[in-house]
């Protein structure tokens, strides 16, 4: 079955750029999306179809996808961005990455 | 306002059954695929099942095949998940999510609206 791999944790200082990767076999041939989940809350879509932002998502969130890796980039990271982030792709079925805890310190 | 509200969770013994519901509002329910996604305590997201707009296609993760059934009632703007032969490992928060279709490709790629979830606990 298809698998997506994310680093368990990423740390970033406020105002700096955070990058979270998601790896999968030929992931660049599929569309990747990203969800943000804060403690006790439902997931929120922040990037879809590799690099598109839903309405209401700040411009500091961006995405890319090429080769075997999709990347979520948060520019000018704010304390409110501290959350778990999950990548997702659609192979034969829906596949989620294991999630990355972003710490802003 | 686009909204999904899950209900029906609770405590059930191993081997028991439960039926989850998801009430949709604020959008044309019959135009969207729908999904169930679950999250075990302290764990990541796991896709459970998908259903096409008219209910003619259904897909499941291997671990629930033959035990869970996804269904929908477009007249009632509602999504369901019938869960039978429940196991301890089915303990999770269950979310319903809306799945837009890309009309250019006819495919589905992501979930754009999520409910707040309903908690299922399987324990004796």
């Amino acid at each position: 079955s298809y698998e997506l791999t994310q680093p368990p944790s990423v740390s970033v200082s406020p105002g700096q750029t955070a990058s979270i990767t998601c790896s999968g076999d030929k992931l660049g041939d599929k569309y990747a999306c990203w969800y943000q989940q804060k403690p006790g809350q439902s997931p929120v879509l922040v990037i879809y179809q590799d690099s598109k932002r839903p309405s209401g998502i700040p411009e500091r969130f961006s995405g890319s996808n090429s080769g075997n890796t999709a990347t979520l980039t948060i520019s000018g990271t704010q304390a409110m961005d501290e959350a778990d982030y999950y990548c997702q792709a659609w192979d034969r079925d829906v596949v989620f990455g294991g999630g990355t805890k972003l710490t802003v310190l | 306002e686009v909204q999904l509200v899950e209900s029906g969770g609770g405590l059930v013994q191993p081997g028991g059954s439960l039926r989850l519901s998801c009430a949709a509002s604020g959008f044309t329910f019959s135009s969207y695929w729908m999904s169930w996604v679950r999250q075990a305590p302290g764990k990541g997201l796991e896709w459970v099942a998908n259903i096409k707009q008219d209910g003619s296609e259904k897909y499941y993760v291997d671990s629930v095949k033959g035990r869970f059934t996804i269904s929908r009632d477009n007249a009632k703007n509602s999504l369901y998940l019938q869960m039978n032969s429940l196991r301890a490992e089915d303990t999770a928060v269950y979310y319903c999510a809306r799945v837009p279709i890309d009309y250019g490709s006819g495919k589905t790629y992501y979930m754009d609206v999520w409910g707040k979830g309903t908690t299922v606990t399987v324990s004796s």
Side-chain angles (χ1 to χ4, degrees):
Chain A
S1 62
Y2 195 77
E3 294 185 357
L4 295 174
T5 301
Q6 299 180 234
S9 62
V10 168
S11 297
V12 63
S13 299
Q16 298 303 111
T17 296
S19 295
I20 300 173
T21 58
C22 174
S23 299
D25 185 48
K26 298 180 181 178
L27 180 56
D29 292 344
K30 312 177 193 300
Y31 275 131
C33 65
W34 293 89
Y35 303 94
Q36 176 194 69
Q37 187 180 34
K38 297 181 179 180
Q41 298 185 19
S42 309
V44 173
L45 180 70
V46 294
I47 293 290
Y48 67 100
Q49 291 184 261
D50 295 340
S51 58
K52 298 178 181 179
R53 269 181 299 104
S55 60
I57 300 302
E59 291 184 7
R60 64 180 180 274
F61 288 86
S62 63
S64 63
N65 185 16
S66 179
N68 294 323
T69 304
T71 303
L72 172 69
T73 302
I74 310 172
S75 305
T77 307
Q78 300 183 10
M80 68 174 65
D81 300 329
E82 187 163 287
D84 293 328
Y85 291 85
Y86 295 89
C87 61
Q88 179 244 300
W90 216 292
D91 187 60
R92 185 176 57 88
D93 293 316
V94 180
V95 181
F96 286 98
T100 298
K101 181 176 182 59
L102 177 67
T103 301
V104 182
L105 38 70
Chain B
E1 179 192 6
V2 174
Q3 199 170 13
L4 297 171
V5 179
E6 302 92 336
S7 61
L11 174 63
V12 61
Q13 292 188 341
S17 298
L18 215 52
R19 189 195 195 206
L20 306 184
S21 299
C22 172
S25 59
F27 65 100
T28 304
F29 180 72
S30 59
S31 296
Y32 291 84
W33 282 72
M34 296 295 295
S35 287
W36 286 100
V37 176
R38 67 184 178 183
Q39 187 170 34
K43 303 297 185 181
L45 301 173
E46 180 185 34
W47 167 74
V48 174
N50 285 342
I51 187 168
K52 195 176 179 180
Q53 293 99 317
D54 62 0
S56 62
E57 295 181 33
K58 304 176 184 182
Y59 301 93
Y60 301 91
V61 67
D62 286 347
S63 60
V64 308
K65 285 179 181 175
R67 300 190 299 124
F68 290 11
T69 302
I70 188 172
S71 64
R72 64 192 296 162
D73 185 336
N74 288 340
K76 295 183 177 180
N77 291 333
S78 293
L79 176 72
Y80 306 102
L81 186 67
Q82 177 66 44
M83 304 186 296
N84 299 331
S85 302
L86 282 161
R87 306 166 180 168
E89 54 264 37
D90 296 318
T91 294
V93 175
Y94 284 73
Y95 298 100
C96 72
R98 188 178 79 169
V99 183
I101 189 167
D102 181 273
Y103 286 100
S105 64
K107 295 183 178 180
T108 51
Y109 299 113
Y110 58 93
M111 302 163 195
D112 67 343
V113 178
W114 295 63
K116 295 188 183 303
T118 187
T119 300
V120 173
T121 303
V122 184
S123 175
S124 55

